[in-house]
């Protein structure tokens, strides 16, 4: 399957925004599949990660460490996220045809970099939706689009930076989404 990283990123950004829009006001402090973080922290991490993935394009680093996300929010979380996603999508678009774009994981073609950003956004959208009881599953279509980039970078990030939990085993007959989630250390059956 040939994946258009730019379309995948747009779809993942839409998924993340939908999940954040659906968070009930009282659920921001709830636990998530990212066992160390609340819903608010996952949102802050996702927002900062999108900025970190383009910081070598934009020359602007995130305001804080994506892996030490604050358990606090200011203003309108949906509007703030939307602004970040719009800016990061524009940064990727500015390098659309480049075969070598600098990223924190090393240089890569823009279409691969956008797929990496889509993987991050899609997984954290699932985390937020799952944690807040929303009926917003990671679709089989999105999971299929994310498989190749996950195979390229998850083990590298896990081994180099310890930022993904160990992969989990899924039952025979598991779907693509379940397999992708388990590969990234997430329990596809996690519930709050």
């Amino acid at each position: 399957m040939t994946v258009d990283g730019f379309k995948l990123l747009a779809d993942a950004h839409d998924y993340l925004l939908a999940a954040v829009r659906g968070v009930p006001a009282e659920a921001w402090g709830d636990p998530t599949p990212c066992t160390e973080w609340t819903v608010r922290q996952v949102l802050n991490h996702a927002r900062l990660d999108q900025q970190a993935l383009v910081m070598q394009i934009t020359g602007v680093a995130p305001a804080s460490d994506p892996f030490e996300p604050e358990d606090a929010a200011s203003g309108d979380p949906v509007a703030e996220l939307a602004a970040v996603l719009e800016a990061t999508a524009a940064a990727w678009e500015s390098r659309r045809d480049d075969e070598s774009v600098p990223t924190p994981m090393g240089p890569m073609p823009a279409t691969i970099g956008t797929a990496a950003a889509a993987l991050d956004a899609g997984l954290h959208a699932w985390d937020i939706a799952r944690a807040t009881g929303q009926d917003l599953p990671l679709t089989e279509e999105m999971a299929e689009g994310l498989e190749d980039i996950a195979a390229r970078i998850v083990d590298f990030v896990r081994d180099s930076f310890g930022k993904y939990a160990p992969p989990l085993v899924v039952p025979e007959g598991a779907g693509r989404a379940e397999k992708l989630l388990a590969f990234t250390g997430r329990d596809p059956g996690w519930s709050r």
Side-chain angles (χ1 to χ4, degrees):
M1 173 182 174
T2 302
V3 175
D4 176 349
F6 285 88
K7 179 175 183 338
L8 192 59
L9 181 62
D11 291 346
H13 279 180
D14 287 347
Y15 181 33
L16 181 57
L17 273 169
V20 171
R21 281 187 190 107
V23 174
E26 70 280 1
W28 288 106
D30 285 0
T32 70
C34 299
T35 58
E36 305 292 314
W37 294 342
T38 65
V39 172
R40 190 171 25 248
Q41 285 173 295
V42 171
L43 167 62
N44 286 332
H45 165 74
R47 179 179 48 75
L48 293 165
D49 248 6
Q50 292 298 303
Q51 292 173 318
L53 287 166
V54 295
M55 69 183 177
Q56 291 166 310
I57 298 171
T58 64
V60 178
S64 60
D65 183 347
F67 295 101
E68 295 294 332
E70 249 190 305
D71 194 5
S74 59
D76 178 350
V78 174
E80 186 176 339
L81 176 63
V84 166
L85 298 183
E86 184 178 327
T88 58
W92 285 114
E93 188 61 41
S94 75
R95 302 296 293 268
R96 176 179 275 274
D97 298 321
D98 290 7
E99 283 301 312
S100 182
V101 176
T103 77
M105 295 171 288
M108 58 183 70
T111 191
I112 302 298
T114 52
L119 177 65
D120 191 81
L123 290 173
H124 294 310
W126 180 85
D127 293 331
I128 291 168
R130 195 73 177 191
T132 56
Q134 298 180 62
D135 185 18
L136 282 175
L138 177 65
T139 66
E140 293 293 292
E141 181 182 10
M142 183 173 287
E144 182 179 10
L146 295 172
E147 287 170 345
D148 181 62
I149 193 63
R152 289 179 187 229
I153 68 169
V154 169
D155 283 333
F156 167 76
V157 172
R158 183 184 284 127
D159 296 343
S160 300
F161 308 108
K163 298 303 180 188
Y164 283 101
L168 303 176
V169 176
V170 291
E172 185 138 347
R176 284 189 138 104
E178 291 172 297
K179 289 178 184 174
L180 178 69
L181 292 165
F183 179 61
T184 64
R186 288 163 169 80
D187 175 0
W190 188 93
S191 63
R192 55 192 190 118

